[in-house]
Amino acid sequence: VSPGCRAAPGRFAYKLLHDLFANYSSALRPVEDTDRALNVTLKVTLAQIIDMDERNQVLTSYLWVRQTWLDAHLTWDKDEYGGIDSIRIPSSYVWRPDIILYNNADEHFGGSMETNVVLRSDGHITWDSPAITKSSCKVDVSYFPFDGQQCRLTFGSWTHNGNQIDLRNQLDSGDLTDFVENVEWEVLGMPATRNVITYGCCSEPYPDVTYTLLLRRRASFYIFNLLLPCIMVSFLAPLGFYLPADSGEKVSLGVTVLLALTVFQLLVAESMPPSESVPLIGKYYIATMTMITASTALTIFIMNVHHCGPGARPVPPWARRLILHHLARLCCVYEVGESCKSPQRAPGGRAAPGDAGAAGDSPGEGQGGAEVRGCPWDHCLCHHDALLSNVGYIAGCFRRHRANQRRTGEWKKVAKVMDRFFMWVFFLMVFLMSVLVLGNAA
């Protein structure tokens, strides 16, 4: 083949371009009959989800938008131009439909990228243009982090009504063959619907094509970083009832757990939109914080019961019957915890006679004086009365001391039984709340 033959298609292409656009204007709608509508076919390919801003309710996505229409003024006989069936020219050369994204949320309201169009000999024009769009999306975070979202992308002509441009979707759904998987969101589908709406400003119908992007959040990140730590901290809170009351750490444990949950709650609130809809994990945090606040208040009350001094009233009969008998058996609290049952009773019992003997030394000393005064010890009853009064005083002190110890021990046992009872109650509450959260998530 000679070089001249190889250059022939190039000359035909220049001639074709000159002939086509000699008397062409891209400002007018390319139809032979101005009363007829121009059919425009739309196809959207989702390439990537760049960002989902839940707080501002904006979806940023990367789309490939394909528009196809028939230009009646740009047709030619391919045999006259060396068999050229199609050419690629800048899109600014031809008329383009003003198809835009209705729910655009970008501050710089721009259209598609200025790419070439494919012009065929029968007048059909295909315009493929990539676009990074920011669309408004109503975000419902009621079941966060197990939520799903439906974001709509509505495309339509801004100035041409349905009598001028008939917009239709090429496929029943968006094209997802080239979609790049997102680490946070899983795409379930992208169905497309054609709507014809009559707006309040105009009496003419305006067709549009709406693509509904069905998204489901990948919850693994939030489960391991927000939900599981909260559940573990929640199960740690009832153990504050198991701590001994003399340790001094019962209230501090509850306050520490409450502060930890407050930090988690703030982390969730930073990423959620300030709406009336409280997310599921937020409800779990609030319920857990309320439970921990109640447990801390009960701990303070039980510690007050535990540290009842000797001057406290005796345990009421109903409390002794309900708490010391029934609840103690139910909570498996068998030990009394009374110090009065320790071996200190035996030395105390042995000390009494010694004390009595020591107390009797004083009368014994007075025996000599009595004998000097002529009053024999065997016949003087006044010394026996003094000895008996001293022994009675010592025995009364021991009885009062044992009664105080018994009363204090009963109150300590009441506090211990209440601690164990509320520990199991709050364990059950934490378990039920965790099951409810996971059940609602499912």
Side-chain angles (χ1 to χ4, degrees):
V1 181
S2 64
C5 293
R6 288 198 299 268
R11 291 197 303 268
F12 284 129
Y14 278 103
K15 184 178 183 303
L16 173 61
L17 184 63
H18 180 271
D19 294 342
L20 286 177
F21 294 96
N23 297 316
Y24 181 83
S25 175
S26 61
L28 298 177
R29 190 166 52 97
V31 291
E32 295 179 353
D33 186 0
T34 57
D35 294 333
R36 297 185 60 182
L38 177 65
N39 295 326
V40 178
T41 305
L42 182 67
K43 176 184 177 183
V44 173
T45 300
L46 179 63
Q48 185 181 2
I49 295 176
I50 299 177
D51 182 42
M52 167 66 86
D53 189 355
E54 293 95 343
R55 191 170 185 83
N56 297 317
Q57 301 190 20
V58 174
L59 171 67
T60 305
S61 55
Y62 178 38
L63 305 176
W64 298 343
V65 182
R66 169 176 289 186
Q67 304 176 44
T68 305
W69 67 94
L70 177 63
D71 195 324
H73 304 312
L74 296 178
T75 60
W76 71 89
D77 186 2
K78 59 183 177 179
D79 296 332
E80 296 180 0
Y81 294 92
I84 297 177
D85 183 54
S86 64
I87 57 174
R88 286 161 176 82
I89 57 177
S91 58
S92 59
Y93 285 16
V94 300
W95 176 89
R96 294 171 298 180
D98 56 344
I99 305 299
I100 65 170
L101 180 64
Y102 280 177
N103 55 334
N104 197 318
D106 193 357
E107 57 183 0
H108 304 290
F109 199 92
S112 303
M113 186 179 296
E114 296 290 339
T115 57
N116 291 340
V117 297
V118 179
L119 177 59
R120 301 191 180 276
S121 60
D122 56 358
H124 281 89
I125 298 178
T126 301
W127 182 25
D128 287 329
S129 61
I132 296 179
T133 62
K134 289 186 177 181
S135 58
S136 60
C137 178
K138 185 178 180 180
V139 178
D140 184 11
V141 292
S142 300
Y143 293 96
F144 175 84
F146 305 98
D147 57 330
Q149 305 297 334
Q150 295 184 3
C151 296
R152 291 176 173 82
L153 302 171
T154 303
F155 294 90
S157 175
W158 188 252
T159 59
H160 297 89
N161 55 48
N163 299 325
Q164 297 170 339
I165 291 182
D166 187 11
L167 182 63
R168 297 186 178 273
N169 50 302
Q170 182 177 348
L171 301 174
D172 293 335
S173 63
D175 189 4
L176 301 176
T177 54
D178 297 318
F179 176 70
V180 179
E181 292 293 334
N182 189 270
V183 295
E184 184 179 1
W185 296 96
E186 179 184 0
V187 178
L188 303 180
M190 194 176 177
T193 56
R194 180 180 180 272
N195 307 304
V196 179
I197 302 176
T198 302
Y199 297 96
C201 65
C202 314
S203 59
E204 298 85 1
Y206 282 82
D208 64 68
V209 176
T210 300
Y211 292 88
T212 304
L213 187 59
L214 305 178
L215 302 175
R216 183 172 61 188
R217 192 189 301 271
R218 303 180 190 270
S220 301
F221 173 81
Y222 300 97
I223 289 176
F224 285 102
N225 290 278
L226 291 179
L227 189 58
L228 284 183
C230 177
I231 293 177
M232 290 188 290
V233 170
S234 302
F235 276 100
L236 183 64
L239 291 178
F241 291 106
Y242 194 75
L243 280 175
D246 297 328
S247 64
E249 299 292 334
K250 294 171 71 70
V251 178
S252 60
L253 177 62
V255 173
T256 304
V257 172
L258 188 61
L259 291 177
L261 289 177
T262 304
V263 172
F264 284 115
Q265 175 70 14
L266 291 177
L267 290 177
V268 174
E270 287 179 356
S271 59
M272 294 293 102
S275 62
E276 296 181 356
S277 179
V278 181
L280 182 63
I281 191 172
K283 295 178 181 178
Y284 181 70
Y285 285 161
I286 294 298
T288 305
M289 291 168 65
T290 305
M291 182 198 68
I292 294 174
T293 303
S295 67
T296 306
L298 285 173
T299 299
I300 295 173
F301 171 75
I302 293 173
M303 288 183 64
N304 195 11
V305 173
H306 175 83
H307 291 287
C308 284
R313 297 180 180 179
V315 178
W318 65 267
R320 182 180 290 107
R321 182 173 58 255
L322 176 63
I323 299 177
L324 298 182
H325 292 164
H326 300 291
L327 284 183
R329 294 178 182 178
L330 181 64
C331 300
C332 301
V333 181
Y334 298 108
E335 63 275 9
V336 179
E338 294 178 351
S339 59
C340 61
K341 290 195 173 183
S342 61
Q344 294 178 357
R345 295 175 57 192
R350 289 193 299 268
D355 293 340
D361 291 341
S362 176
E365 293 177 355
Q367 178 182 359
E371 290 177 352
V372 172
R373 292 191 301 268
C375 181
W377 174 259
D378 296 337
H379 301 283
C380 186
L381 298 179
C382 61
H383 301 286
H384 294 279
D385 294 337
L387 179 62
L388 290 176
S389 64
N390 291 335
V391 172
Y393 175 76
I394 295 174
C397 290
F398 270 99
R399 283 194 296 269
R400 287 191 297 271
H401 180 66
R402 292 180 62 186
N404 292 335
Q405 283 187 333
R406 187 181 303 109
R407 190 182 303 116
T408 303
E410 286 183 349
W411 283 116
K412 287 183 178 181
K413 185 178 179 181
V414 168
K416 189 173 184 179
V417 173
M418 292 175 65
D419 266 336
R420 298 296 171 83
F421 173 73
F422 284 118
M423 182 186 71
W424 292 115
V425 168
F426 279 92
F427 264 128
L428 182 62
M429 290 175 60
V430 172
F431 177 75
L432 290 179
M433 284 193 300
S434 303
V435 171
L436 287 176
V437 169
L438 297 177
N440 288 332

